[in-house]
Amino acid sequence: MASKITLTVEPRGKPIRRLPKELTIALNASGEDLHTMLADVSGTSVHRLRITKGSDRSVVPNTKGTTIEETGLRESSVIHIKDLGPQIAWRTVFIIEYLGPLLIPALFLFPLRPLLYFNYDTIPAPSDTQLLVCVLLTLHFLKREYETIFVHRFSSATMPARNIFKNSAHYWVLAGFNIAYWVFRPDAAAATSEPNQALVYAGLAIFTFSEIFNFNAHLILRDLRRPGTTERGIPQGFGFNWVTCPNYMFEIFAWLGIYLVSQLNWSVIIFTLVGGLQMWSWAWKKEVRYRKDFGDKYKKKRTVLIAGLC
């Protein structure tokens, strides 16, 4: 049996300069090797290339763990190469996403306060409760930035650069401008000098508990993947026996804590509901993938996001 095969290379979509019409590669080479070879000969970033089989349009993975032979490619097989356009690192995306809601609360509460609420006869100093909400928002997104830089290991290196605006809008608009403007208004419920102390203390307790165990869940997920790999494993630990994604569950609980401290400000619950729906969708996709990848080794979950509910 031949140890090497020659593939027919065809562009899909816009032409790619210097893309060869044929490429010879060893059957025991990896999908990553194929991507690297095509990137080198075409002068295109490897992260911009998407390779699919001409026979069934399935993706040839850019990983070391899958060989060319395992992909089903054979002599004279056709592969389609698509240029995905300019890319941006996922880590950079997250840093930019969280930077807005990290800075906006303090800006709205202090230097921009006279400009935002100019239509009020008098603008009182922020209340202790508003200051506390600002602290919680800042701590939450500082933690997010820390996890992005030092904890998370990403299965995909990049995403299309144009998506940065769509991804950032959720956090900058809903978690940043939306919450900061409404919670820090001079007439907001949180502006009172006599807040409901039960809401404040309950919210602080829920927020603290949730942030700690959200961080713990992220550490568990990080340790499933060795640096520089896309390998998957079955997560185990606190919360993972209840739902598929306890990191999402604790994220939602942390925001419910902020909601209570804010004296039930509607802007916080809007952000929580929108984010919760998205996380519910992601969690079900992850549950389906776990069942497919690990079969009987994986204990199926009836609820993927919040234990006993959804």
Side-chain angles (χ1 to χ4, degrees):
M1 181 179 178
S3 61
K4 292 185 177 182
I5 58 173
T6 299
L7 302 172
T8 300
V9 181
E10 297 179 357
R12 187 177 180 185
K14 63 180 181 180
I16 301 174
R17 293 180 59 188
R18 302 206 307 271
L19 186 70
K21 294 183 177 181
E22 291 185 336
L23 185 74
T24 300
I25 190 169
L27 282 170
N28 63 357
S30 67
E32 181 181 75
D33 293 333
L34 177 60
H35 281 75
T36 301
M37 290 175 65
L38 284 167
D40 289 343
V41 297
S42 65
T44 306
S45 168
V46 69
H47 299 301
R48 293 180 59 147
L49 299 180
R50 185 173 186 265
I51 304 176
T52 55
K53 294 164 55 180
S55 58
D56 58 9
R57 299 293 177 88
S58 62
V59 175
V60 179
N62 183 10
T63 63
K64 294 180 180 179
T66 302
T67 66
I68 297 301
E69 186 173 18
E70 289 171 342
T71 65
L73 292 170
R74 298 293 181 263
E75 177 67 25
S76 299
S77 287
V78 176
I79 55 173
H80 293 148
I81 317 301
K82 184 173 183 177
D83 183 353
L84 299 175
Q87 300 289 297
I88 186 171
W90 270 105
R91 199 177 305 277
T92 303
V93 171
F94 283 147
I95 289 173
I96 295 172
E97 283 181 1
Y98 303 146
L99 186 61
L102 172 62
L103 300 177
I104 289 170
L107 290 174
F108 274 37
L109 198 58
F110 296 109
L112 298 181
R113 188 171 177 83
L115 300 176
L116 292 169
Y117 307 116
F118 65 89
N119 56 324
Y120 288 84
D121 293 334
T122 59
I123 303 176
S127 70
D128 290 342
T129 305
Q130 289 175 319
L131 290 171
L132 180 56
V133 172
C134 184
V135 168
L136 296 184
L137 292 171
T138 302
L139 288 175
H140 177 78
F141 286 106
L142 275 176
K143 169 180 166 292
R144 285 286 195 93
E145 295 284 29
Y146 176 85
E147 291 169 339
T148 297
I149 298 170
F150 298 108
V151 176
H152 294 323
R153 290 173 183 160
F154 299 92
S155 57
S156 299
T158 64
M159 62 171 278
R162 64 181 180 276
N163 288 352
I164 185 64
F165 301 103
K166 176 183 68 177
N167 285 38
S168 295
H170 172 69
Y171 288 101
W172 283 61
V173 175
L174 281 183
F177 300 131
N178 172 56
I179 291 177
Y181 179 81
W182 294 105
V183 174
F184 300 153
R185 281 170 59 100
D187 59 355
T192 180
S193 59
E194 297 181 357
N196 185 320
Q197 294 298 327
L199 292 179
V200 172
Y201 288 117
L204 282 175
I206 293 171
F207 177 85
T208 303
F209 170 87
S210 301
E211 292 287 358
I212 289 172
F213 286 103
N214 172 268
F215 183 70
N216 179 67
H218 286 157
L219 291 178
I220 291 172
L221 293 170
R222 186 274 308 272
D223 291 340
L224 292 176
R225 180 176 295 148
R226 290 177 297 177
T229 72
T230 58
E231 62 188 5
R232 305 183 190 278
I234 300 175
Q236 296 178 344
F238 186 74
F240 285 97
N241 291 330
W242 306 338
V243 294
T244 310
C245 298
N247 51 315
Y248 294 160
M249 178 176 67
F250 293 128
E251 173 80 8
I252 291 173
F253 287 168
W255 281 102
L256 290 177
I258 296 174
Y259 173 62
L260 295 180
V261 174
S262 75
Q263 305 297 292
L264 310 183
N265 191 285
W266 62 268
S267 63
V268 182
I269 206 65
I270 288 293
F271 172 74
T272 306
L273 287 173
V274 172
L277 286 173
Q278 180 62 73
M279 286 186 279
W280 179 78
S281 174
W282 289 336
W284 265 115
K285 290 178 181 178
K286 187 162 289 189
E287 173 69 16
V288 170
R289 190 169 68 234
Y290 283 159
R291 294 180 184 184
K292 178 181 178 181
D293 290 350
F294 302 113
D296 294 337
K297 295 179 181 179
Y298 176 70
K299 182 180 178 181
K300 297 178 181 179
K301 307 295 190 305
R302 294 185 178 181
T303 55
V304 297
L305 187 62
I306 299 178
L309 291 180
C310 57

